[in-house]
Amino acid sequence: MTAAERASPSKGRGGAFAAILSFATLLLIGILAFSIRLFSVIKYESVIHEFDPYFNYRVTQYLSKAGIYEFWNWFDDRTWYPLGRVIGGTVYPGLTLTAGTMWWVANALNIPLSVETVCVFTAPVFSAFAAWSTYALTKEVKGVGAGLTAAALIAMVPSYISRSVAGSYDNEGVAIFALVFTFYLYLKTLNTGSLFYATLNALAYFYMVCSWGGYTFIINLIPMHVLLCIVTGRYSSRLYIAYVPLVILGTLLAALVPVVGFNAVMTSEHFASFLVFVIIQVVALVHYIKRILTQKAFRVAVAFVLTVGTVSALTLIGVLIALVATSPTKGWSGRSLSLLDPTYASKYIPIIASVSEHQPPTWPSYFMDINILAFLVPAGIIACFLPLSDSSTFVVLYLVTAVYFSGVMVRLMLVLAPAACIMSGIALSEAFGTLTHSIKYQLDLPDPPAPPAVTVDQAASSTPQVSSVTAAADSTKEKSTSEKAKETLRERPVKRNRKKEREIIEKSVEKKAQKKKPPQVLPLEASAVGIVLLLLLGSFYVIHCVWAAAEAYSAPSIVLTSHTADGLHVFDDFREAYAWLSHNTDENDKVASWWDYGYQTTAMANRTVIVDNNTWNNTHIATVGMAMSSPERQAWEIYQSLDVKYVFVIFGGLVGYPSDDINKFLWMVRIGGGVFPHIKEPDYLRDGQYRIDGQATPTMLNSLMYKLSYYRFAEATMDGKGYDRVRRTEIGKKFFKLTHFEEVFTTHHWMVRIYKLKPPKNRLRGKNKRKTKPVSKKSRPTPPTKTSGRRN
Amino acid sequence: MASSARVRALLWVAVMLPVLCAAFSEEKPTDQRVLVLLDDLALKSSHSIFFKSLTSRGYELDFKLADDSKLALQRYGEYLYDALILFAPSVEGQLGGNLDVAAILDFVDSGHDLILAADAHTSDVIRDIATECGVDFDEDTEAVVVDHINFAVQSESDHSLIVGDKLIDADVILGKDGIKGPVLFRGIAHSVNAASDLVVTVLSASPSAFSATPNAVMTAPPALTGTSISLVSVVQARNNARILISGSLDLFSDKFFKSPVQKFGSSSKSASGNEQLALELSKWTFHERGHLKAVNVHHQKVGEKDEPAMYRITDQLEYSVEIHEWTGKEWRPYQADDVQVQFYMMSPYVLKTMDHNGKGLYHTSFQVPDVYGVFQFKVEYKKLGYTSLTLSKQIPVRPFRHNEYERFIKAAYPYYGGAFSMMTGFFVFGIVFLYHK
C-alpha cells in the first residue's frame, strides 16, 4: 500500500500522457506486427501457403458455405479414400471458426471479402493481437515499460513470423495469441484474485483448446507453476482462485471440443493438472484447519492425516498406475512421448520422425529464429529474480520449459518465442530503466538521492499496485465495499511482509548495500555508451527480423523462385499440375501421391486422395509407402486395389529442387516397412546410403518411385546422361519402359510428374515367344509420345 | 428459367448423344458385318454349309483373300466389321493391306470377335495372334495331333484324323441340347495358358493323343501329350470380345460336317457332331448367347424412393438391379440364383445373394455395417460362358450426426441426478453461507 501511494503522484502527473503514449505505441506495434507479415503478399501474391493451410482453407470454405452444423458433422469422402475422414470430429476448429466468423462479420457489414482473403490475413491480424496480449502479460510481470518492449519484440520475432506470414493460414497463427492471452489472464487472476478473470481465463483456455493441440502445454505448465508456488510457500487464496476454476471449467469446456472430447480426462497429458488440483485442495484445507485449530491440535491432526493420507494416496496411485500401464503407450500420445524422450519418435514412430518440423533444431536455428533474444534471455531471468513474485516465477518457468521443448522439436520454437520476447523485454526495459535513471541521477545530482530508491521500489511494487487498483475498482461494484477493501488490505501486508522476508533471505547482502547508498547508479558516460550499445543491438534485431520476414519466411512454397544471372525464375509447377488434374481427370478419380501433397490435391485439384497430411492412419500411409517402394507390378496391384487412377511424384532432379520424393523416399520405405515387413530398408541401401546412381541396389532401381521419377529422364537431358541435379550424380538406370503406368503429364520444370494406371490387360498372353517381328506400331493407338514435358 | 431449362435439355442431348448412339450396338450385341479372310477362295465352297448357316442367321459375310492388298478393318477410325473369321492358316508373313497382328489384336481389344482356325501348315502370323490371345500352338511346325486309339477309321494310315468327344460341360457355350455326335478333328494341338482365366478349352484330346510329326521317327518325347492338348478353345477377353480358336480348319468343312464317323474299335457309324459344334460355337462367339446386361441399378433406404447421396451407419437399405440375357433376337430376363452383391470397402463387408422375381429383377436388402467410409455396391458376376458383369457404384457411409445419438441414456440417470442435486445443493449452500450468520 505504501509503495502504491508513493508511486501514485508521479503516475498521476504523467499518467494521461503516458497512457496516450503507450496506447499509441501499442497501436503502432500492432500495425508493425501486421505489416511486417505482408512481404509474402507483396513479393509473391495473395495465396495460401504450404500444405496444412490448404486444408484449413478448404474447411473454412466448407464452413462458410454449409454452416456450422454441417461443418461439425462433416464426413469428407474425398480424403483418405476409401476410409473417409470425419472432419468435424478430428479437426481443431478454432482457426476455422475464427476466420469463418471474420468472413461472416465482414460480409454482414457489406465488405465483400472472399474467404481466401480472410484466410490469408488471419494470421497477421492475430499476430497483432498476440503482440498486445504479450504487452498485457509482461505488464503483469514487470510493468508497462517491459510490456511495451516485449510487445515490440514479439511483433517481429522471426520464429513467430515464420508461422504467421500472410497466407500461412495455420492453427499456430491464432494459437500463439490464445496461448499468451491465457497466460496473461492466469497471471491477472493470480495478481487480483478475481473470479471474473478466472472465468475469462477458462474461456481463453477453451479458445486455445479449440485452436491447437499445444493446449496441453498450458494445462501442464500452469499446474507446474501452482505446484512450485505451493512448494515454495507462496500458497494464497488468489492462487486457489486462479487455478481451481481453470481446471474445472477448462476441463469441462475442453471436453466440448469434439477432437479432444474424453481425452480431456482420459489421457496422461491431463493427469498433472488433476493431481495438482487435488494437492491444492489439500493445501487449502490444511490452511483452513490451521486457522481454526490450536497449534497442538493441528500437530496431532497433521500426524493423523499424514498416516491415513499416505496409505490412501499410495493405493490411489497404485490403481492409477495399473490403469495407465494397461495401455500400450502408457496413455501418452506419440507426439507427447517424443517430447519427453526426444529419441522416442525416431526409434518407434517413423511417421512422426519423418516430419521435418518434428526434428530437433540445430544451433543456428536459434540464432535465426530468436536472434539477439537468445542473449537477452538470461538477463531477463536475472531481472525476474529481482524481486521474485508469483508472476515472475511463472514466466521463468514458462521460459525454461519452452527452451526444453524447443530443443526437442523445431516446431515448438514457436512456443519459446513469446517467452523469449517477454524475458528480453524485461531485460531491455530494466537495462534502459537503470541506464536512463543513472543519467537522470547524474544530471540531477544536487537533488536528494530519492529517485533511484523510488524506481527500485516502483519496479518491485508495480504488481501489487496494479492489483490493488483493480481490486479497488472491483470492490466499488460490489455491495460489501468496505469488507472487500479490508480483505485486500488484510492480504496486502501479508504478502508484502513475505516478499520482504524472501528478499532479505535471498539477497540480504545486496539489500543492505542498496539501503545504504543509492545503488545501480552508473557513471554518465558509461550509461550513455550502454544506451547506444543497446540501441545498436536493437537495430540489429530489427534488421534481422525484416530480412527474415522478407527473404527467409515469406515464400509460399507453392510457388518457388530462384535468382540466376538471367534474372528471376518462377517455378509454378505445383499449381500447373493441380490445374491439369482438375481439368483433365474425372471428378471421382482417385489420385495417389505421398501424403505431403494430399491436402493440396484435395484443395486445389479437388480430387479424392488416398492419404493426406493428417496422419491419423499409419497403415494407410504405409500402404502407399509400400506401393512407392515396390516394383511396378506390385505397386500397380496395390493402387488398383485402392481404385487409384492417377499417381504423381514430385521430382526435383531436373531443376535441383531438393525436397522431392526421392529425398523423402527413405521415409516411404521406413513407414511402409514398419507395417509391411517385406519392405526391408537394407535392400535399398548401399553402404548405408540411399543412392540412385550406378551403385544403387536393384531393389532401389526397380522401385516405383525410381521409375516414376526418372522415366524418360536420360532422354530428356541434353547429353543423354541423366544427371540428377539434386543428388549431383548420374542416375543408375536409364532408358527403361513402364509397363503398368503411362505418363500423362509432366510440368514445365518436371517437378510434378503425373502417371495414369494402365487398365488391366484385355487379353492374357500365352507363353510362346513371338516369331514375327513386332511390326510398325503405326496403326496402334500408342500412348502419346511426348517430345517435351510441356503439354498444354 | 425457361431458357435455362432449354439450354440444359440441349446440353443433355449434346452430352448424351454419343452415349445414345453407342447404345444402339449395346442394345443388339449380336454381330452384323463379318469379314472372312481365306487362303483360297475354294474354301468358300468347301466350307459352304458353315458360311450358309451364318448368312441365314443374318450375318453379312464379306469374303476376302488374306493377302488382298486392299484389306482394311477400319476406315477413318471406324471399324468396318463387327467380327473377323480368319480361315487363312497358311498366309505367310504379312497379311494383306495394312492388316497385321497388332491391327487384329486392336480389333479384338476394341470389343470385336474373332474366329481363327489353323491346320497343319499354320504360319507364324496366325500362331502369334493365337499366342497373344492366350493359346499356344505347338511350336513344332510339323507336328499334328495323332491318336492311335481314338482315331476315325478312314483310308489314311497316320491316325491324324481323330475323334474327339471330350467336350466342356457348358450349356451356354455348346447349346442346351449338347453336341450329339463325336467330333472329327484333323489339325494341330495347342495348350492354353493355365494362369489365364479368360481362355477355356472346349474340346480337349483324349489321354492317348500326342502332338508329333506323323510318319517320322520320333527323336524326343512330344511336347504336348494327352489331355493337356486342347483342340478347340474359346477366349473371352476382359472387354467381352470373344475368340474361337480351333486347331483344325477342316473341322468346319462340309466334308467333316457330313461324313459319318466310325471310331477305331467300334463297328457302328454315327453322324459327326461337327456341324452342330461349329454352329453352336459360332453362335456363342458372335454373341447370340450368353450376353448379359445389367440395367436399372437402384438402391435406397428401406421405405424410401429416392437414391440418397450418402448412407448413415446401421441404415437399412435395399439394392436392386435388372439383369437380362440376349437371345440373338431379344432381351430375356436372366434367371440365376447365384448373383451376389457386395458392400465393399477394401474388402466386402456384406456379401449377399440376391433374390429375383423371374422377370430379371434382382434385389436384396441389408443393414449398412457399423463402419463409416466410402463403400461400393459391387456386382461381379463371372460365370463360365457368360459375359462378365462388373458393376460398382460408390456410396459414402457417414457416422451419426451430433443430434442423432440418444439424448438421454438410461444408465446415466444417476449422473444426471448427481449433477442436478449438486447444483441445487450449491445454490442452497451459497444462500446459507452468504445470508445466514
Side-chain angles (χ1 to χ4, degrees):
Chain A
M1 199 65 191
T2 47
E5 265 175 3
R6 248 190 290 154
S8 59
S10 66
K11 198 180 190 241
R13 209 168 348 110
F17 178 66
I20 290 171
L21 190 65
S22 57
F23 179 76
T25 316
L26 278 178
L27 202 65
L28 287 175
I29 286 171
I31 293 169
L32 168 71
F34 181 79
S35 48
I36 200 171
R37 286 165 169 80
L38 299 188
F39 277 110
S40 62
V41 173
I42 295 162
K43 288 184 66 180
Y44 296 88
E45 55 186 300
S46 176
V47 286
I48 308 283
H49 289 196
E50 293 193 313
F51 306 108
D52 289 22
Y54 270 96
F55 170 74
N56 298 326
Y57 170 49
R58 181 164 164 258
V59 175
T60 314
Q61 268 183 322
Y62 186 84
L63 171 71
S64 63
K65 245 182 271 159
I68 181 147
Y69 280 108
E70 286 304 311
F71 162 60
W72 187 2
N73 291 306
W74 185 17
F75 173 70
D76 185 8
D77 56 351
R78 298 188 78 78
T79 53
W80 287 94
Y81 182 87
L83 306 169
R85 179 182 171 193
V86 186
I87 301 263
T90 56
V91 80
Y92 286 99
L95 175 76
T96 318
L97 291 178
T98 308
T101 314
M102 279 161 59
W103 176 82
W104 180 80
V105 167
N107 274 269
L109 296 174
N110 287 326
I111 305 170
L113 292 177
S114 70
V115 177
E116 190 181 5
T117 313
V118 174
C119 293
V120 165
F121 292 103
T122 298
V125 168
F126 270 79
S127 60
F129 294 165
W132 293 333
S133 39
T134 307
Y135 161 76
L137 170 60
T138 319
K139 198 180 115 192
E140 284 303 310
V141 182
K142 279 285 174 186
V144 178
L148 286 174
T149 324
L153 289 176
I154 198 168
M156 49 187 171
V157 66
S159 167
Y160 184 27
I161 286 179
S162 75
R163 290 304 187 130
S164 62
V165 291
S168 177
Y169 178 54
D170 210 349
N171 290 338
E172 289 91 332
V174 296
I176 290 304
F177 155 72
L179 181 84
V180 176
F181 194 62
T182 310
F183 286 154
Y184 156 66
L185 284 171
Y186 171 69
L187 289 188
K188 187 80 181 171
T189 322
L190 194 59
N191 285 339
T192 57
S194 149
L195 259 180
F196 172 69
Y197 282 113
T199 317
L200 280 190
N201 188 19
L203 288 176
Y205 172 67
F206 176 54
Y207 184 66
M208 177 69 188
V209 178
C210 281
S211 304
W212 197 33
Y215 76 91
T216 45
F217 181 60
I218 296 183
I219 204 61
N220 283 300
L221 180 62
I222 290 182
M224 269 167 79
H225 178 243
V226 171
L227 201 63
L228 184 76
C229 285
I230 291 171
V231 168
T232 53
R234 285 168 168 273
Y235 172 78
S236 65
S237 58
R238 289 170 292 105
L239 187 69
Y240 187 87
I241 289 169
Y243 184 64
V244 174
L246 174 69
V247 171
I248 293 176
L249 283 179
T251 306
L252 281 176
L253 289 170
L256 293 182
V257 182
V259 63
V260 177
F262 280 107
N263 285 351
V265 285
M266 305 274 278
T267 55
S268 303
E269 279 95 341
H270 304 80
F271 279 178
S273 64
F274 300 133
L275 189 68
V276 173
F277 180 77
V278 173
I279 291 172
I280 201 169
Q281 303 296 347
V282 172
V283 171
L285 188 71
V286 168
H287 274 257
Y288 175 70
I289 291 170
K290 199 175 185 179
R291 222 188 305 162
I292 56 171
L293 285 184
T294 59
Q295 273 215 323
K296 203 175 173 191
F298 180 70
R299 233 171 267 147
V300 175
V302 164
F304 174 71
V305 167
L306 270 187
T307 44
V308 176
T310 323
V311 172
S312 53
L314 280 180
T315 37
L316 197 71
I317 288 168
V319 169
L320 269 182
I321 288 174
L323 273 180
V324 169
T326 49
S327 85
T329 57
K330 313 281 178 268
W332 290 80
S333 71
R335 278 196 183 81
S336 314
L337 272 179
S338 65
L339 274 183
L340 296 178
D341 172 10
T343 57
Y344 179 84
S346 52
K347 265 189 280 183
Y348 302 109
I349 318 173
I351 203 143
I352 289 180
S354 77
V355 183
S356 62
E357 61 183 24
H358 291 164
Q359 306 284 358
T362 50
W363 279 114
S365 68
Y366 279 93
F367 300 104
M368 176 66 197
D369 277 357
I370 56 174
N371 200 243
I372 60 153
L373 307 188
F375 311 110
L376 290 174
V377 160
I381 294 176
I382 293 169
C384 278
F385 277 97
L386 304 167
L388 203 64
S389 67
D390 289 351
S391 40
S392 64
T393 52
F394 179 75
V395 289
V396 171
L397 201 63
Y398 174 23
L399 179 91
V400 171
T401 46
V403 165
Y404 171 73
F405 288 139
S406 72
V408 176
M409 261 191 215
V410 66
R411 180 190 193 182
L412 294 177
M413 192 75 99
L414 190 62
V415 175
L416 171 66
C421 289
I422 292 164
M423 282 303 178
S424 314
I426 291 170
L428 275 181
S429 143
E430 291 285 308
F432 270 118
T434 312
L435 293 175
T436 46
H437 279 299
S438 312
I439 292 175
K440 205 171 169 190
Y441 180 80
Q442 301 284 3
L443 293 179
D444 307 348
L445 207 53
D447 286 8
V454 171
T455 55
V456 170
D457 237 348
Q458 196 176 5
S461 65
S462 62
T463 314
Q465 170 202 335
V466 170
S467 64
S468 66
V469 168
T470 37
D474 280 350
S475 61
T476 47
K477 292 172 205 152
E478 304 289 328
K479 268 204 305 177
S480 49
T481 323
S482 54
E483 274 184 22
K484 264 270 165 145
K486 257 181 223 162
E487 209 175 274
T488 42
L489 280 179
R490 211 192 304 147
E491 262 183 34
R492 193 107 349 257
V494 177
K495 192 185 167 207
R496 288 275 65 184
N497 289 345
R498 213 184 293 143
K499 192 171 276 179
K500 284 260 164 62
E501 279 169 25
R502 217 173 316 107
E503 276 162 13
I504 287 163
I505 294 161
E506 277 166 6
K507 333 174 187 31
S508 49
V509 190
E510 277 177 70
K511 263 287 166 187
K512 270 172 208 158
Q514 271 182 24
K515 267 171 199 161
K516 266 180 209 155
K517 201 183 141 248
Q520 296 168 335
V521 174
L522 301 167
L524 184 64
E525 297 77 16
S527 310
V529 169
I531 285 180
V532 168
L533 286 178
L534 279 182
L535 284 176
L536 214 59
L537 196 65
S539 48
F540 275 131
Y541 177 70
V542 172
I543 289 166
H544 173 79
C545 290
V546 173
W547 171 81
E551 299 296 330
Y553 290 136
S554 61
S557 95
I558 194 93
V559 184
L560 307 164
T561 54
S562 85
H563 294 274
T564 57
D566 321 336
L568 185 72
H569 280 270
V570 178
F571 299 89
D572 204 357
D573 284 36
F574 288 104
R575 292 197 292 184
E576 189 187 349
Y578 294 131
W580 187 90
L581 277 174
S582 76
H583 288 298
N584 295 284
T585 61
D586 185 76
E587 202 183 343
N588 286 319
D589 282 345
K590 281 85 191 168
V591 179
S593 65
W594 189 231
W595 58 265
D596 297 20
Y597 314 102
Y599 279 163
Q600 291 180 347
T601 313
T602 39
M604 284 201 264
N606 191 20
R607 291 294 171 266
T608 308
V609 296
I610 306 300
V611 290
D612 66 26
N613 311 44
N614 176 265
T615 51
W616 64 273
N617 187 324
N618 195 15
T619 315
H620 218 51
I621 291 182
T623 309
V624 174
M626 172 172 72
M628 291 295 192
S629 29
S630 299
E632 214 185 322
R633 180 167 173 76
Q634 278 92 312
W636 181 86
E637 276 165 8
I638 294 165
Y639 282 138
Q640 192 74 11
S641 73
L642 291 169
D643 297 333
V644 169
K645 267 266 185 66
Y646 295 91
V647 180
F648 71 82
V649 294
I650 307 297
F651 173 63
L654 191 75
V655 289
Y657 171 63
S659 56
D660 66 352
D661 278 351
I662 291 279
N663 277 359
K664 289 174 183 171
F665 187 54
L666 82 157
W667 296 113
M668 302 183 204
V669 173
R670 270 181 211 171
I671 292 171
V675 177
F676 304 101
H678 70 270
I679 304 284
K680 292 185 197 71
E681 200 179 357
D683 292 346
Y684 298 84
L685 298 174
R686 178 81 76 200
D687 310 326
Q689 270 188 316
Y690 280 87
R691 304 181 69 147
I692 46 94
D693 54 6
Q695 300 283 306
T697 61
T699 322
M700 179 77 194
L701 294 179
N702 284 321
S703 68
L704 184 70
M705 180 46 71
Y706 179 90
K707 286 197 164 180
L708 297 192
S709 290
Y710 294 111
Y711 178 60
R712 291 199 308 109
F713 181 58
E715 291 94 313
T717 43
M718 292 284 214
D719 47 2
K721 276 185 178 159
Y723 182 78
D724 185 321
R725 287 178 61 187
V726 175
R727 267 64 59 175
R728 294 174 190 287
T729 171
E730 206 176 311
I731 62 172
K733 191 174 168 186
K734 308 162 192 171
F735 309 109
F736 53 85
K737 285 213 166 63
L738 296 173
T739 48
H740 295 94
F741 292 82
E742 69 178 292
E743 185 188 14
V744 287
F745 186 69
T746 294
T747 55
H748 190 137
H749 301 100
W750 284 49
M751 279 166 60
V752 186
R753 312 198 65 188
I754 306 176
Y755 293 84
K756 189 179 182 178
L757 271 77
K758 286 188 186 164
K761 272 192 191 141
N762 192 35
R763 299 160 280 105
L764 291 174
R765 243 188 131 259
K767 291 189 192 74
N768 282 0
K769 294 240 171 63
R770 200 165 186 173
K771 280 167 201 146
T772 53
K773 273 184 193 153
V775 270
S776 66
K777 290 184 176 175
K778 245 180 280 164
S779 58
R780 219 177 200 180
T782 45
T785 46
K786 288 160 289 289
T787 45
S788 97
R790 237 178 301 176
R791 289 212 300 133
N792 291 336
Chain B
M1 274 312 269
S3 72
S4 83
R6 205 179 317 142
V7 166
R8 215 172 298 154
L10 269 177
L11 260 179
W12 187 85
V13 169
V15 169
M16 292 303 286
L17 203 59
V19 182
L20 290 173
C21 291
F24 181 71
S25 65
E26 207 68 350
E27 277 304 303
K28 286 191 168 212
T30 301
D31 299 324
Q32 299 290 317
R33 301 156 300 170
V34 182
L35 174 66
V36 186
L37 291 184
L38 307 170
D39 272 340
D40 180 356
L41 286 176
L43 272 171
K44 209 170 151 182
S45 54
S46 67
H47 291 61
S48 62
I49 301 177
F50 179 66
F51 293 132
K52 214 167 280 170
S53 91
L54 288 180
T55 331
S56 68
R57 298 211 307 268
Y59 296 100
E60 300 160 22
L61 301 188
D62 190 358
F63 295 93
K64 292 261 171 74
L65 278 176
D67 48 5
D68 188 339
S69 63
K70 290 197 208 97
L71 275 185
L73 279 175
Q74 55 177 336
R75 188 186 296 151
Y76 310 127
E78 293 277 327
Y79 279 105
L80 300 167
Y81 305 99
D82 302 320
L84 175 65
I85 297 178
L86 205 52
F87 280 178
S90 51
V91 62
E92 275 304 328
Q94 199 87 344
L95 291 157
N98 57 8
L99 220 55
D100 55 17
V101 177
I104 288 173
L105 293 172
D106 281 338
F107 182 70
V108 170
D109 286 345
S110 50
H112 300 96
D113 305 320
L114 172 69
I115 293 179
L116 183 148
D119 67 4
H121 312 286
T122 304
S123 65
D124 287 343
V125 181
I126 302 300
R127 285 166 188 273
D128 278 343
I129 294 172
T131 300
E132 289 293 334
C133 296
V135 167
D136 294 321
F137 283 116
D138 191 348
E139 287 189 274
D140 182 355
T141 50
E142 301 284 300
V144 296
V145 187
V146 177
D147 193 331
H148 294 302
I149 295 171
N150 295 302
F151 62 92
V153 181
Q154 297 262 337
S155 56
E156 294 139 59
S157 60
D158 60 3
H159 298 168
S160 66
L161 177 68
I162 63 169
V163 177
D165 50 6
K166 291 176 68 87
L167 287 159
I168 188 173
D169 179 23
D171 288 354
V172 64
I173 298 177
L174 297 178
K176 274 198 199 81
D177 306 332
I179 305 302
K180 292 283 169 8
V183 178
L184 285 173
F185 182 95
R186 181 166 57 207
I188 56 173
H190 65 254
S191 62
V192 299
N193 182 356
S196 163
D197 55 350
L198 303 175
V199 48
V200 175
T201 302
V202 173
L203 180 64
S204 52
S206 66
S208 54
F210 59 92
S211 171
T213 315
N215 305 328
V217 180
M218 223 187 275
T219 50
L224 290 171
T225 57
T227 48
S228 69
I229 296 179
S230 303
L231 304 175
V232 179
S233 298
V234 292
V235 181
Q236 179 169 282
R238 292 219 166 88
N239 63 355
N240 292 330
R242 287 172 175 175
I243 302 158
L244 167 63
I245 294 175
S246 161
S248 163
L249 179 58
D250 293 340
L251 192 145
F252 299 92
S253 70
D254 297 358
K255 192 178 153 205
F256 279 26
F257 279 16
K258 292 299 167 205
S259 80
V261 184
Q262 188 189 356
K263 201 171 165 185
F264 170 73
S266 90
S267 53
S268 63
K269 285 193 173 187
S270 58
S272 81
N274 284 37
E275 180 171 3
Q276 206 193 349
L277 178 70
L279 297 191
E280 294 296 345
L281 282 178
S282 72
K283 280 184 187 168
W284 181 85
T285 312
F286 290 160
H287 291 266
E288 283 179 49
R289 249 203 322 262
H291 191 100
L292 301 177
K293 72 164 179 182
V295 288
N296 291 338
V297 179
H298 203 76
H299 60 87
Q300 73 273 329
K301 266 194 204 170
V302 170
E304 285 180 18
K305 277 259 165 81
D306 296 329
E307 258 183 37
M310 197 181 256
Y311 284 108
R312 197 193 68 188
I313 52 172
T314 70
D315 269 348
Q316 283 287 344
L317 65 81
E318 288 173 331
Y319 178 85
S320 64
V321 59
E322 279 179 42
I323 303 180
H324 298 281
E325 183 184 2
W326 179 250
T327 58
K329 294 177 193 70
E330 55 173 354
W331 290 100
R332 285 251 185 84
Y334 177 68
Q335 304 193 8
D337 296 324
D338 52 3
V339 185
Q340 292 182 320
V341 63
Q342 304 174 25
F343 200 54
Y344 181 95
M345 181 175 79
M346 294 203 281
S347 60
Y349 277 71
V350 174
L351 175 64
K352 280 203 105 176
T353 308
M354 291 195 278
D355 308 321
H356 67 99
N357 62 356
K359 289 173 189 157
L361 179 71
Y362 288 77
H363 72 94
T364 189
S365 75
F366 55 87
Q367 190 182 29
V368 176
D370 194 1
V371 178
Y372 58 80
V374 183
F375 281 82
Q376 284 171 323
F377 289 110
K378 260 193 181 181
V379 176
E380 283 184 348
Y381 190 66
K382 284 172 186 160
K383 201 170 175 184
L384 177 66
Y386 287 97
T387 53
S388 61
L389 275 185
T390 312
L391 309 173
S392 69
K393 197 165 193 183
Q394 183 173 317
I395 184 87
V397 172
R398 65 169 172 82
F400 287 112
R401 289 172 66 89
H402 69 280
N403 52 3
E404 283 174 340
Y405 291 97
E406 269 181 290
R407 189 68 191 85
F408 294 102
I409 312 169
K410 213 168 232 176
Y413 274 104
Y415 301 96
Y416 303 147
F420 281 104
S421 64
M422 177 79 186
M423 282 191 256
T424 327
F426 182 75
F427 188 68
V428 172
F429 174 79
I431 288 177
V432 170
F433 184 80
L434 289 175
Y435 300 110
H436 199 81
K437 284 246 160 144

